[in-house]
Amino acid sequence: MEPVTFSESGGIRYLHFGSELIQGAMRIRDPDEIFLEYNQQMMAWLLFLETKPGMKVAQLGLGTGALAKFQHRYCSAVKTTVVELNPAVIIAARSMFFTPDDDRRLETLQVDAQAFVRASKNRAQFDAVQVDLYDAICDGPAASSLDFYKGCYSILDEPGVMTVNLFSRHKSFGINLKNICEAFDNRVLLFPESHDCNVVAIAFKGPKLEVEWRDVSKRARVILDNTGLPTNKWVLGISRENARQENKLCI
């Protein structure tokens, strides 16, 4: 297991795995805010799925707990299941980044994400899956095989949405994108590259989605008003980044 270390600068607390590479960040005065841009974009499933009682989200990789904290605060109908192999990361998320203890809306499992998505008991159990799996080397996602992404597909119900954090300027990008597209029948959208060279992919399972961008924009404004997420930037970015999606979302 990687050693867990921390640093602070300008009111921001950072998580590291024994190196200078940043694994997550939190604004100390607002711990429930999602501070990093790509982390914010991992919540893009909210654009396409209405939260409702009984809804379940799987978060593969805990980091600072930014997504878990946000969902616990703003998505009261949603149960989040966090999958994290390193026990030190779980302890750090709770003690240093103020992730709440488990309750009826938050479950933390210390298991390997690849085993989790292969388990038959998890098949078609989740409405959304968020994948952010990196180790100390950060040599691309720690899980990137076609079998892994097929497992992510299998644990999604229909309709379901997966968001994945990728490194845009690394050889792993093309490999991961190819495997995601194959596992999800090419139903994949990309955010524009963020300032830290991360690209979030959005993959869909279930009925074909065909909707006017103005309707997606209306949904984005509701999310912005209710949560503060900068969703007003998302719709334009996604519509411009993806071919044949300029006029209408059709995937």
Side-chain angles (χ1 to χ4, degrees):
M1 299 295 177
E2 296 90 356
V4 174
T5 53
F6 315 97
S7 65
E8 289 185 13
S9 176
I12 309 300
R13 181 172 294 162
Y14 297 96
L15 174 70
H16 310 272
F17 290 161
S19 74
E20 293 183 356
L21 296 173
I22 293 172
Q23 299 288 343
M26 177 191 73
R27 194 188 308 274
I28 297 171
R29 63 176 173 80
D30 189 5
D32 289 343
E33 172 199 29
I34 303 179
F35 178 71
L36 296 174
E37 182 181 13
Y38 79 86
N39 266 167
Q40 296 169 353
Q41 295 170 353
M42 296 283 286
M43 295 297 304
W45 59 267
L46 285 171
L47 287 176
F48 311 103
L49 300 172
E50 290 279 356
T51 58
K52 59 186 184 297
M55 190 175 196
K56 294 192 289 186
V57 175
Q59 179 185 331
L60 309 185
L62 176 58
T64 62
L67 300 177
K69 288 186 292 182
F70 185 88
Q71 285 162 187
H72 198 266
R73 177 171 177 177
Y74 292 105
C75 305
S76 58
V78 173
K79 179 181 178 181
T80 301
T81 297
V82 175
V83 177
E84 173 56 56
L85 183 60
N86 191 338
V89 173
I90 298 173
I91 294 169
R94 291 172 176 166
S95 62
M96 298 294 290
F97 296 96
F98 312 130
T99 302
D101 292 332
D102 285 4
D103 58 19
R104 63 180 181 83
R105 294 192 293 114
L106 178 60
E107 176 186 30
T108 305
L109 303 177
Q110 187 195 331
V111 296
D112 182 82
Q114 298 184 80
F116 181 83
V117 301
R118 288 196 304 264
S120 58
K121 67 178 182 179
N122 294 323
R123 199 160 296 160
Q125 291 298 303
F126 298 94
D127 301 278
V129 176
Q130 300 162 312
V131 185
D132 193 7
L133 296 168
Y134 286 86
D135 56 21
I137 301 172
C138 285
D139 189 24
S144 58
S145 69
L146 176 58
D147 283 345
F148 171 71
Y149 287 119
K150 284 183 175 180
C152 292
Y153 183 91
S154 75
I155 68 173
L156 279 172
D157 199 358
E158 298 186 19
V161 179
M162 176 181 73
T163 55
V164 187
N165 174 33
L166 303 174
F167 280 166
S168 57
R169 301 183 187 182
H170 189 273
K171 63 183 180 181
S172 65
F173 180 75
I175 297 169
N176 279 267
L177 187 57
K178 177 180 180 294
N179 288 338
I180 294 168
C181 286
E182 185 170 344
F184 282 79
D185 196 26
N186 292 313
R187 300 184 64 203
V188 180
L189 299 173
L190 296 177
F191 271 96
E193 178 185 280
S194 65
H195 67 278
D196 43 12
C197 300
N198 293 81
V199 169
V200 170
I202 314 167
F204 298 84
K205 179 180 180 179
K208 182 178 180 180
L209 181 61
E210 189 168 350
V211 61
E212 298 289 341
W213 281 114
R214 64 174 177 269
D215 294 323
V216 184
S217 295
K218 290 178 183 176
R219 172 69 180 158
R221 282 194 294 271
V222 171
I223 299 169
L224 172 62
D225 292 342
N226 290 340
T227 70
L229 278 174
T231 51
N232 54 319
K233 303 176 183 178
W234 292 0
V235 174
L236 183 61
I238 295 171
S239 63
R240 288 182 173 178
E241 185 70 14
N242 297 276
R244 298 181 298 278
Q245 299 290 344
E246 296 88 350
N247 299 318
K248 178 188 289 188
L249 175 59
C250 185
I251 194 165

